[in-house]
Amino acid sequence: MTVVQAALDATFLARWQFGITTIYHFILVPFTIGMSLCVAILQTMWYKTKKDHWLKATRFFGKLFLINFALGVATGIVQEFQFGMNWSEYARYVGDIFGAPLACEALLSFFMESTFFGLWIFGWGRISAKAHTVCIWLGAIGVNTSMLWIIGANSWMQQPVGAVYDPNLGRAALDGVGGFFKVILNPTMWLAVFHVITISWVLAGTFIAGLAIWWMVRSANAGAENEAKNVWHPIARFGLTVLLIGGVLAAVSGHFQGQHLVQKQPAKMAAAEALCDTTTGAPFTIAAFGPLNATCADGNITHVGNIPKVFSFMATNDFSAEVAGINDLNANYAQAFGVDSIAPNVMLSFWSFRLMMFFGIFSAVLALWGLIATRGDRIAKSPALAKWAILSLPMPFIASSFGWMFTEWGRQPFIVYPIGVDYKTMSADGVWMLTADAISGAVPAWNVLITLILFTLIYLALGVVWFLLMKRYAKEGIYIAGTDPEKETSPDVALSFGY
């Protein structure tokens, strides 16, 4: 597709607009999920032990969390508007089902988190320590249940359970009360929730450990060993523990989710391995190269190196199992759904899957290096470790974004993926929808192009503000320059922000 053709294609532009705004939003979401829980735990440890360093940690990371939360809300507002505007046919066809979890998120979780975070922000010194600690926990619960409803809506698009086609209305509808419970008990949803929560712990753990290690090394080398030992060392150990637990569980949840996808969305996982032909004992491909629009049918994908039988094991726990390839999937889907190709973009899926894992390695190295360097009462003084800690900070953000890209790219060309698909016996029964059929017919391409450019620029500006604020308060540390350190960390003083 040429640049001119792309600029005149409303579906292409709408997909890019939704993709860009979603990535801007989702890059903040796992941090909010993980940090809400970590800040709640930090405050609880202060409430239980009355140790000053836990209060300092609560206030320090609480500020950074709130900056991220505010930007997350701002970037998330646009998301739901797009369903009724650019994607009105989608909203008309499946809105009765898709809208249910979104309504629950807005009416229950969002108001819960905003209310109790408000009480937490302005409640320092005004309500009891116990009530204040309860507020941060209720806010964290709101954040995590909000994620649950949103992931539930997305998972329904990945596996549309509990829905039936209503010929009288000409659209999909919930299959009664039981259909709603099928939506919220969707196995795709709970596997995704498990994975999102654990990667959120990886992100929050990396952030806390990275900043704490950097400050510990800096304090120790500047002669402030008391601060390094009594403040930053326990905080670093806390972050590293969260990172280690999250990392192990993220690997486990990712494995289970991948196996589920082999059954429910075989084309997505075949594209993740650039597996063109159905293979027994399928290998794990180290690298694959080709044009951005490379396809198996054209034979223009070059595989470089493989590990025999590993993909079969990843997919089924059996090294000798058969795994469906893109060519067979295309042939069978074309017959059932009347589309020429159901394979997602192979190069995008293949590399987003690997980049997701690659950027996660930085956090794994930080966890092992940091735990060894700070074991017992040891104070890390290595500048190399401090540099690695700072380098690691953005990596889980990038990894989670590539994971989200893989999830969404891999579903194409369906916006609602067919349920219960066996690639050997394809059936078009049930509720499903092609992305090309979901676009609004009343919104011209030039309109989408203008809003795409504007949203991209606005979100870019918000991203710069987010980065500058996070950098400023991270470098400021546990004390605010020019204030009384004892007063600044007192539980009776409200959180303050200077602009």
Side-chain angles (χ1 to χ4, degrees):
M1 181 180 291
T2 66
V3 174
V4 175
Q5 288 175 323
L8 298 175
D9 189 325
T11 302
F12 179 85
L13 293 171
R15 287 180 62 188
W16 268 100
Q17 183 180 96
F18 200 91
I20 290 171
T21 54
T22 300
I23 289 300
Y24 268 116
H25 178 59
F26 187 76
I27 201 170
L28 306 171
V29 169
F31 185 84
T32 300
I33 296 168
M35 284 297 288
S36 65
L37 177 63
C38 286
V39 173
I41 294 173
L42 288 170
Q43 181 161 339
T44 302
M45 290 194 293
W46 165 74
Y47 176 74
K48 292 292 186 181
T49 66
K50 295 299 185 286
K51 291 182 178 180
D52 191 51
H53 62 267
W54 294 129
L55 176 60
K56 293 175 180 177
T58 301
R59 298 174 66 83
F60 176 59
F61 289 106
K63 283 185 178 182
L64 298 171
F65 160 71
L66 290 174
I67 293 168
N68 190 85
F69 179 76
L71 266 292
V73 172
T75 56
I77 292 173
V78 176
Q79 298 299 92
E80 294 188 25
F81 283 98
Q82 291 182 84
F83 291 122
M85 293 179 171
N86 292 352
W87 301 95
S88 60
E89 279 302 308
Y90 169 81
R92 181 197 66 79
Y93 185 67
V94 300
D96 288 352
I97 308 103
F98 185 79
L102 293 184
C104 290
E105 187 272 338
L107 294 173
L108 301 177
S109 299
F110 180 74
F111 284 110
M112 181 179 180
E113 61 190 279
S114 57
T115 297
F116 287 105
F117 282 145
L119 289 170
W120 185 75
I121 294 168
F122 299 107
W124 289 92
R126 293 182 173 87
I127 59 178
S128 68
K130 182 177 182 179
H132 193 253
T133 303
V134 170
C135 284
I136 187 63
W137 273 106
L138 290 174
I141 292 171
V143 167
N144 281 266
T145 56
S146 178
M147 174 273 299
L148 187 148
W149 292 115
I150 296 299
I151 294 298
N154 180 267
S155 296
W156 183 84
M157 296 166 70
Q158 311 284 347
Q159 185 183 359
V161 297
V164 294
Y165 176 74
D166 188 333
N168 296 320
L169 297 175
R171 62 175 187 254
L174 275 173
D175 189 12
V177 176
F180 176 75
F181 284 103
K182 288 180 181 179
V183 171
I184 63 175
L185 295 175
N186 188 348
T188 298
M189 166 184 163
W190 288 102
L191 286 169
V193 165
F194 182 23
H195 195 53
V196 169
I197 287 176
T198 54
I199 64 173
S200 299
W201 294 348
V202 170
L203 204 152
T206 300
F207 192 83
I208 293 172
L211 285 182
I213 288 172
W214 184 81
W215 271 106
M216 176 172 52
V217 173
R218 180 180 178 181
S219 300
N221 291 329
E225 292 202 14
N226 185 57
E227 181 179 316
K229 179 179 180 180
N230 297 321
V231 177
W232 295 115
H233 180 271
I235 297 173
R237 295 290 295 184
F238 169 79
L240 290 166
T241 301
V242 173
L243 170 56
L244 181 63
I245 294 171
V248 171
L249 293 179
V252 173
S253 62
H255 177 65
F256 287 141
Q257 191 176 28
Q259 291 189 331
H260 182 74
L261 288 175
V262 169
Q263 299 298 319
K264 301 300 180 182
Q265 295 185 4
K268 178 183 289 187
M269 292 308 296
E273 286 300 321
L275 185 68
C276 291
D277 299 310
T278 301
T279 305
T280 300
F284 177 86
T285 301
I286 297 173
F289 300 98
L292 186 59
N293 61 349
T295 65
C296 287
D298 294 337
N300 52 359
I301 299 175
T302 301
H303 296 73
V304 179
N306 64 70
I307 306 174
K309 300 187 177 183
V310 169
F311 181 44
S312 284
F313 179 79
M314 292 169 59
T316 65
N317 292 333
D318 181 355
F319 286 105
S320 300
E322 180 183 272
V323 182
I326 291 172
N327 288 330
D328 284 333
L329 289 167
N330 272 342
N332 294 334
Y333 268 92
Q335 182 177 358
F337 298 96
V339 290
D340 295 333
S341 172
I342 55 83
N345 187 294
V346 177
M347 288 293 101
L348 292 178
S349 299
F350 182 92
W351 284 108
S352 62
F353 186 68
R354 274 150 186 76
L355 290 171
M356 172 187 67
M357 295 185 288
F358 170 76
F359 285 106
I361 294 174
F362 287 82
S363 295
V365 172
L366 177 65
L368 294 176
W369 192 353
L371 286 169
I372 293 171
T374 61
R375 65 190 185 278
D377 293 327
R378 290 175 174 82
I379 304 301
K381 297 183 179 182
S382 168
L385 175 58
K387 291 179 181 178
W388 186 265
I390 294 300
L391 178 64
S392 298
L393 292 182
M395 299 309 175
F397 285 91
I398 299 172
S400 63
S401 296
F402 275 114
W404 187 254
M405 292 176 191
F406 170 68
T407 298
E408 298 307 295
W409 275 329
R411 188 177 67 239
Q412 298 305 317
F414 297 100
I415 193 168
V416 179
Y417 204 90
I419 188 174
V421 169
D422 179 343
Y423 81 94
K424 294 181 180 178
T425 57
M426 291 295 174
S427 172
D429 295 337
V431 173
W432 55 276
M433 192 176 200
L434 291 169
T435 302
D437 296 332
I439 194 72
S440 172
V443 181
W446 67 265
N447 195 319
V448 184
L449 178 62
I450 291 174
T451 54
L452 167 62
I453 295 171
L454 290 175
F455 279 131
T456 301
L457 293 175
I458 291 170
Y459 277 27
L460 179 61
L462 289 173
V464 171
V465 171
W466 172 85
F467 175 77
L468 293 176
L469 287 174
M470 295 289 279
K471 180 181 178 181
R472 171 185 172 175
Y473 287 103
K475 291 179 69 176
E476 204 168 62
I478 57 176
Y479 303 118
I480 302 296
T483 63
D484 180 357
E486 295 299 324
K487 181 179 179 182
E488 172 59 28
T489 56
S490 168
D492 296 329
V493 177
L495 291 180
S496 62
F497 294 86
Y499 298 95

